[in-house]
Amino acid sequence: ARGVPLAAEPLLIAGTDALSRGDPVRTEALLREARHRDPRALAPRLLLADLYLRRQRIDEGLKELAALSRLAPDGPAPVVEAITAYARQPGTEGALRTLFSERPDLRDPVLTGLAADPKLADQVLRLAGPAMQEGRWQAVLIDALVRDGQFARGRQIWSRFTGDPTPLDRLVDPAFTRSGSALPPFHWSFPGQGGVAEPRGRGLHVLSYGREEGVLASQLTTLPPGRYRLSFRLTQPGDTGSLAWVLVCVPDERELGRAPVGGSAGRSEAELQVRSACPAQRLELRALPTVGERTSEMTIDNLSLERLAQ
């Protein structure tokens, strides 16, 4: 330190030694001076952030982590993990809002990290604020709630994110008009197992390979218990037995009913029953194996799911 009085390294070593001896006041003074002498050095900021956060000086700790996210050679990912870990502690929300206002680029990755834990859903929504700015965190939060079995709450928050007013006893977008930009799983997803399903503005164009059973299109629902009529129309006919609409109970995967798809053009319908022990359901368009593994092509529109009078 005497030989190179402007160097940061001796102060960093002395600060680390003071930290190991349990002297936080001396540690902070030395590390702050090391940071002052080399503002781009990572180690003093990392140790200061750890010191501040351990001592519940959240604002100062998050500022050091935010600076680290700009300086770290491998980008903000490790810093985001650190911020996310500390965000799980009580009393950090005000400091995080300040951080997000200063570093909006950290907002979505931190919220995404928190959203993966369904127990933190309320905290994530509070941090997101009333504007609910779009980001990857929204899909992660919905997925976490669904995996945790919180289907009704997931559907409620999904409606809040998307602004979709569809009642619980109806399908979302049965005409397949908004499938390209909507948020799964309470909207259509297209796994493409055993064939291809492609929305065509008003209707669904389907190609089934006939080799194996697989899901071509799927939507998660939270239908109240009762009887329902599923109806649809074929505008381009296809082979009978190559497709079926199947309603499955979630999470136990019990089949609640199915409606074969195929044959001549025209309207078809089937009655389905949702029991009280079924908190959520999944409506699937399944490709089915056929004799000779024949490829079948058809177009489905006017899909409707109506609750029947009890």
Side-chain angles (χ1 to χ4, degrees):
R2 293 191 184 94
V4 190
L6 296 181
E9 288 82 2
L11 294 166
L12 173 63
I13 293 170
T16 305
D17 180 64
L19 181 64
S20 68
R21 294 174 184 273
D23 188 347
V25 175
R26 180 171 171 77
T27 298
E28 181 182 357
L30 289 165
L31 292 177
R32 284 172 64 92
E33 185 58 30
R35 183 193 62 188
H36 175 70
R37 296 187 183 191
D38 186 359
R40 298 191 64 81
L42 302 181
R45 291 186 179 275
L46 186 61
L47 290 171
L48 275 171
D50 184 66
L51 177 67
Y52 289 147
L53 292 169
R54 287 178 184 274
R55 296 177 67 80
Q56 296 301 308
R57 293 164 63 179
I58 305 300
D59 289 343
E60 294 166 284
L62 291 179
K63 286 179 181 178
E64 295 297 339
L65 288 173
L68 277 168
S69 73
R70 292 189 292 265
L71 298 170
D74 51 354
V79 176
V80 167
E81 293 177 9
I83 295 173
T84 303
Y86 285 111
R88 295 172 179 270
Q89 301 179 19
T92 61
E93 291 182 22
L96 285 168
R97 290 191 187 94
T98 301
L99 175 66
F100 293 159
S101 67
E102 297 174 355
R103 292 292 309 279
D105 58 307
L106 294 176
R107 182 179 183 278
D108 187 61
V110 171
L111 288 181
T112 299
L114 293 173
D117 185 348
K119 295 189 294 296
L120 301 178
D122 288 334
Q123 182 183 2
V124 170
L125 293 173
R126 287 194 301 269
L127 286 170
M132 291 293 172
Q133 182 180 338
E134 289 186 12
R136 182 170 173 266
W137 67 273
Q138 294 183 330
V140 171
L141 178 60
I142 296 297
D143 181 67
L145 291 170
V146 167
R147 283 188 289 101
D148 195 49
Q150 299 186 49
F151 304 109
R153 187 158 191 232
R155 177 66 158 78
Q156 179 188 36
I157 294 175
W158 177 90
S159 297
R160 186 175 168 187
F161 288 164
T162 61
D164 191 297
T166 304
L168 294 181
D169 58 355
R170 294 285 190 274
L171 289 174
V172 173
D173 190 21
F176 302 96
T177 58
R178 295 174 282 127
S179 303
S181 59
L183 184 66
F186 298 102
H187 199 278
W188 295 109
S189 59
F190 302 96
Q193 303 165 351
V196 178
E198 180 183 9
R200 291 278 180 89
R202 293 194 64 83
L204 188 67
H205 183 76
V206 182
L207 189 67
S208 173
Y209 301 141
R211 294 191 291 269
E212 59 185 359
E213 184 166 342
V215 178
L216 300 176
S218 175
Q219 180 178 137
L220 188 67
T221 63
T222 51
L223 302 172
R227 296 184 303 121
Y228 292 82
R229 179 187 296 113
L230 178 73
S231 60
F232 56 92
R233 185 180 66 174
L234 282 183
T235 56
Q236 178 183 346
D239 290 347
T240 302
S242 59
L243 291 174
W245 286 108
V246 182
L247 188 65
V248 178
C249 184
V250 178
D252 63 15
E253 299 297 316
R254 284 181 294 116
E255 185 174 315
L256 301 175
R258 64 171 54 205
V261 180
S264 59
R267 193 158 192 82
S268 300
E269 61 181 44
E271 187 172 312
L272 308 172
Q273 180 79 34
V274 176
R275 295 176 176 82
S276 58
C278 189
Q281 311 81 33
R282 194 171 57 250
L283 181 65
E284 300 176 341
L285 180 62
R286 290 188 189 176
L288 305 175
T290 58
V291 177
E293 297 184 350
R294 295 178 55 188
T295 297
S296 181
E297 185 176 8
M298 62 190 81
T299 301
I300 303 170
D301 71 2
N302 279 29
L303 180 64
S304 172
L305 185 66
E306 296 179 344
R307 192 177 186 185
L308 302 175
Q310 302 302 307

